[in-house]
Amino acid sequence: MATITTRHTARSLKQRLYAWLTCHVNAASDSVQQLWVTPFATALTIAAIAIALALPTALHVFTINLKELGGHWEGAAAISLFLLPHIDEQQADKLANELRQRTDVAHVEIISRQAGLAEFRSYSGLGAALDQLTENPLPVVLALYPTSYISDLTELEQLSASVAQLPGIDFVRLDTEWIQRLQAVIKLLQQGLWLLSAALAIGVLLVIGNTIRLEVENRRNEIEVMDLVGATASFIRRPFLYSGAWYGLFGGSGAWVLVNFMAWQLQTPVDRIARLYHSHFQLLGLDWIATCILMIGAIALGIAGSWLVVAQRLNQLQPSR
Amino acid sequence: MIQFDRVTKRYPERGEALREVSFTLANGDMAFLTGHSGAGKSTLLRLIGLFERPTRGQVLINGVNINTLPINKIPLYRRYVGMVFQDHRLLPERSVFDNVALPLIAAGLTRREIEKRVRAALDQVGLLQLECAAPITLSCGEQQRVGIARAVVARPPIILADEPTGNLDPELSREIFALFERFHGVGVTLLIATHNLDIIHTLPYRTLRLQQGVLADD
């Protein structure tokens, strides 16, 4: 057994390493040249991969921006403290001053009974009905704005729970519904992102697989000849795997350019909106971790797609029974 | 040593191509394999080349039953056996040099070693001056000699040839056989399937004759 299946060339480790490296460099450069043989078809394939990869990537960028936006409530989340009915405005003022001493409170606004009623009248449209009332039923309300370092929903809830313990306070309303809704939406988007990514990853796998299948078909003769002169399966596979990797790399780069271009296009309108809301919000682009994941994922998909196709072809070359 | 031990090969679509074939070819022997088209010559060579496996019986190469070789050992085994085909099976988009170099590239030799060996092989078949040519620009006889150079470049101990002179006129055929005799002279084991009875009758080598899948004459 040993004699007919051992390598006949006794070689040093250095020579073997050199041969291995040469083999890889050749496969990599041959396969990139192969892409240039049909530039139009190659460009179409790369564009298809780029768009398929750009979709989940863009959704990812959208989600991280939305998340960022959720963290930027900047005082939008006020805690409303409804005081007990018997508390009058002087007492309310005293309470407000006490609250202002707290480090986690930025500022406190007193909404007097009259101001509350006026506001209610203008928003509710119950003007005539309110005129029937003999006395103002509304309590004094303190609007409490937390300091900006409180950026987390649980911290906000802790603050509201602690101020609810203070004497003279009837109940506390924390206006967090919109934050909770936003967080639910982000969660939904993140789950959607996974599903979309999975579906489009399969799409990329198929696009690359199909392209490599055509290449395998075109080089059928070469594969057969390589097989009969004693090329190993990995040797035959190698240039195709490199082709797949190149498609992945170029497609991934295309997606990166596309997403960053979109973000760049949106930067100006987003800035305008942020200014209108007096926010320091800045549109986030693709961070380097996401870029790495995109690139490695794209290359891995390319290699996997061509592996599947070439493996199938190599199976057909095995001796028949 | 090539040894067939009651080898039968049956194809599902056309029945038995070989039936109970047994013979032994010692190391360094040269033999011809003759028979009508469809007598099983190609099948026999394909069994030795391990492109097919027998339905029954054993093919032993140097005492090893090659049908028990695991799939990952087949490429190494193929480097042990050089093959020549009637249609040469050259890659038209590659130069003569590159075609001959294929087995060495597959074996992972260094560039310098490849150049040395390819030139030696091309020199043996008398085509050294054509190394940069494209195969299609060559004559049929020259193409076949490129095919032979590719089969011998890795210096395999066994060479199989399937109708190597099928497309050649008698004079070119004689040249090809003379080439095979030179390899025989340096100890290579050769098995050559051929129709060319006129020439092989003038040569002093063993002839195996297949008739409808049975070894009729030895």
Side-chain angles (χ1 to χ4, degrees):
Chain A
M1 185 101 150
T3 53
I4 65 167
T5 57
T6 42
R7 293 168 201 273
H8 297 284
T9 44
R11 290 175 297 163
S12 70
L13 185 70
K14 196 182 147 197
Q15 275 176 318
R16 290 222 310 259
L17 193 71
Y18 175 80
W20 179 84
L21 212 66
T22 317
C23 200
H24 274 268
V25 170
N26 285 345
S29 71
D30 281 357
S31 58
V32 85
Q33 279 164 19
Q34 202 73 31
L35 299 187
W36 275 112
V37 175
T38 53
F40 185 66
T42 303
L44 279 184
T45 305
I46 290 173
I49 297 164
I51 290 168
L53 291 172
L55 282 170
T57 313
L59 188 61
H60 165 74
V61 171
F62 182 68
T63 317
I64 56 168
N65 276 297
L66 216 54
K67 237 175 166 172
E68 185 69 13
L69 202 60
H72 268 256
W73 48 57
E74 288 176 359
I79 301 171
S80 305
L81 309 179
F82 292 81
L83 305 185
L84 290 166
H86 62 83
I87 305 276
D88 64 18
E89 256 131 67
Q90 270 122 25
Q91 287 168 297
D93 203 37
K94 224 179 106 202
L95 190 59
N97 278 330
E98 273 171 38
L99 284 170
R100 286 185 187 113
Q101 307 301 314
R102 293 178 66 111
T103 51
D104 49 2
V105 173
H107 86 117
V108 182
E109 199 181 304
I110 303 169
I111 301 163
S112 66
R113 293 180 182 197
Q114 288 75 19
L117 190 65
E119 200 180 327
F120 188 58
R121 191 189 296 275
S122 70
Y123 285 117
S124 66
L126 297 171
L130 292 173
D131 287 340
Q132 302 296 314
L133 295 171
T134 50
E135 63 173 50
N136 186 349
L138 296 178
V140 179
V141 175
L142 297 181
L144 186 146
Y145 296 91
T147 38
S148 58
Y149 66 78
I150 295 189
S151 57
D152 179 67
L153 201 58
T154 49
E155 281 178 310
L156 207 60
E157 275 163 353
Q158 273 166 13
L159 172 63
S160 88
S162 94
V163 294
Q165 306 299 316
L166 296 173
I169 288 173
D170 189 0
F171 65 94
V172 170
R173 241 199 71 218
L174 179 60
D175 189 16
T176 58
E177 253 177 22
W178 73 275
I179 298 171
Q180 283 169 334
R181 282 193 194 131
L182 185 66
Q183 284 182 343
V185 168
I186 290 171
K187 207 166 247 172
L188 179 73
L189 282 175
Q190 277 174 331
Q191 270 169 5
L193 181 66
W194 278 114
L195 290 175
L196 187 72
S197 301
L200 287 164
I202 292 170
V204 169
L205 203 70
L206 294 179
V207 168
I208 293 177
N210 194 45
T211 307
I212 300 294
R213 191 184 58 81
L214 290 176
E215 203 180 311
V216 166
E217 225 34 67
N218 287 337
R219 295 167 72 179
R220 200 191 177 95
N221 186 24
E222 191 180 332
I223 292 174
E224 280 174 16
V225 170
M226 290 317 293
D227 178 60
L228 73 85
V229 300
T232 56
S234 58
F235 183 92
I236 296 174
R237 214 184 279 129
R238 198 168 294 132
F240 296 104
L241 297 188
Y242 270 104
S243 287
W246 287 125
Y247 277 119
L249 178 70
F250 293 139
S253 308
W256 186 86
V257 169
L258 225 68
V259 170
N260 278 309
F261 177 75
M262 285 193 271
W264 177 68
Q265 282 288 300
L266 290 174
Q267 188 68 61
T268 323
V270 165
D271 280 350
R272 202 178 305 137
I273 295 171
R275 234 176 295 127
L276 289 175
Y277 280 89
H278 304 288
S279 163
H280 302 295
F281 179 72
Q282 280 246 314
L283 196 65
L284 297 172
L286 262 184
D287 54 300
W288 67 271
I289 295 177
T291 304
C292 284
I293 292 173
L294 170 67
M295 288 305 181
I296 292 168
I299 293 170
L301 283 173
I303 293 173
S306 58
W307 183 292
L308 289 175
V309 172
V310 181
Q312 191 209 1
R313 183 79 195 95
L314 285 173
N315 268 339
Q316 292 168 0
L317 287 177
Q318 277 170 22
S320 53
R321 296 232 163 235
Chain B
M1 185 182 65
I2 302 172
Q3 190 181 356
F4 270 55
D5 182 16
R6 292 196 294 164
V7 171
T8 296
K9 176 67 188 176
R10 171 194 290 276
Y11 292 107
E13 60 275 18
R14 60 184 177 94
E16 281 180 353
L18 288 178
R19 192 157 65 238
E20 301 277 317
V21 172
S22 299
F23 70 90
T24 302
L25 200 60
N27 277 342
D29 270 3
M30 175 162 165
F32 296 114
L33 185 62
T34 67
H36 292 292
S37 301
K41 302 190 296 292
S42 294
T43 302
L44 194 149
L45 294 182
R46 287 178 64 78
L47 286 170
I48 303 174
L50 205 44
F51 295 103
E52 321 243 1
R53 295 184 193 269
T55 315
R56 278 197 304 278
Q58 291 186 332
V59 179
L60 301 160
I61 304 295
N62 275 2
V64 176
N65 180 358
I66 57 170
N67 303 306
T68 60
L69 284 184
I71 282 160
N72 62 349
K73 291 280 186 202
I74 292 176
L76 292 173
Y77 170 71
R78 296 253 171 88
R79 296 174 200 173
Y80 192 80
V81 180
M83 269 169 284
V84 180
F85 303 87
Q86 181 173 5
D87 58 358
H88 335 304
R89 308 205 66 171
L90 302 176
L91 297 177
E93 67 276 13
R94 301 202 187 194
S95 69
V96 165
F97 181 97
D98 286 348
N99 266 287
V100 176
L102 288 177
L104 304 180
I105 294 171
L109 266 64
T110 59
R111 189 75 211 164
R112 193 182 307 156
E113 187 75 2
I114 289 173
E115 282 176 10
K116 207 173 78 189
R117 289 216 201 173
V118 169
R119 300 231 160 87
L122 283 172
D123 192 31
Q124 278 180 307
V125 300
L127 290 177
L128 196 51
Q129 74 288 358
L130 289 176
E131 66 170 50
C132 295
I136 25 170
T137 63
L138 306 183
S139 72
C140 229
E142 286 168 335
Q143 287 187 29
Q144 190 54 282
R145 284 190 280 160
V146 176
I148 292 169
R150 186 183 67 192
V152 301
V153 73
R155 296 173 199 158
I158 296 173
I159 291 177
L160 307 174
D162 193 359
E163 301 280 1
T165 59
N167 298 327
L168 304 181
D169 61 43
E171 197 175 330
L172 285 173
S173 303
R174 237 178 278 275
E175 281 177 26
I176 299 290
F177 280 113
L179 212 48
F180 285 134
E181 282 191 274
R182 275 180 36 204
F183 296 126
H184 170 60
V186 294
V188 176
T189 310
L190 289 114
L191 185 58
I192 302 158
T194 181
H195 273 324
N196 225 324
L197 300 179
D198 297 342
I199 296 177
I200 63 173
H201 284 327
T202 66
L203 297 171
Y205 301 108
R206 186 174 162 194
T207 302
L208 302 165
R209 192 164 66 84
L210 282 170
Q211 200 167 24
Q212 288 172 337
V214 181
L215 197 59
D217 218 355
D218 193 348

